[in-house]
Amino acid sequence: ALARDAAVGQGESLTVLGDVMGVKAADRALFAATIKANFSTVFADEHIAANLKSVLAGHAQLSGYAAVI
């Protein structure tokens, strides 16, 4: 479900992930768009959490959320 939502940049699983990670409302759209844009990196292998952390860490506005993972 998360991969499906990430591929389109919206959906319940992506919303819940943002909630659990404490993503601020102002960053939600960018968070979802960044995961969508980096789908092939985030879901490249079974290390989804590490891959997501790397993507977020490399993004100036979202890098603070990488520490949550």
Side-chain angles (χ1 to χ4, degrees), residues 1 3-4 10 14 32 39 41 44 49 54 56 59 62 65-66:
R4 180 189 67 239
Q10 63 183 10
L14 205 50
F39 180 87
T41 299
S54 177
L56 294 176
H59 193 285
L62 301 174
Y65 300 114

Side-chain angles (χ1 to χ4, degrees), residues 21-42:
M21 291 181 63
V23 176
K24 297 174 186 171
D27 292 332
R28 288 298 176 104
L30 180 59
F31 177 77
T34 300
I35 292 174
K36 178 182 178 183
N38 291 280
F39 180 87
S40 62
T41 299
V42 174

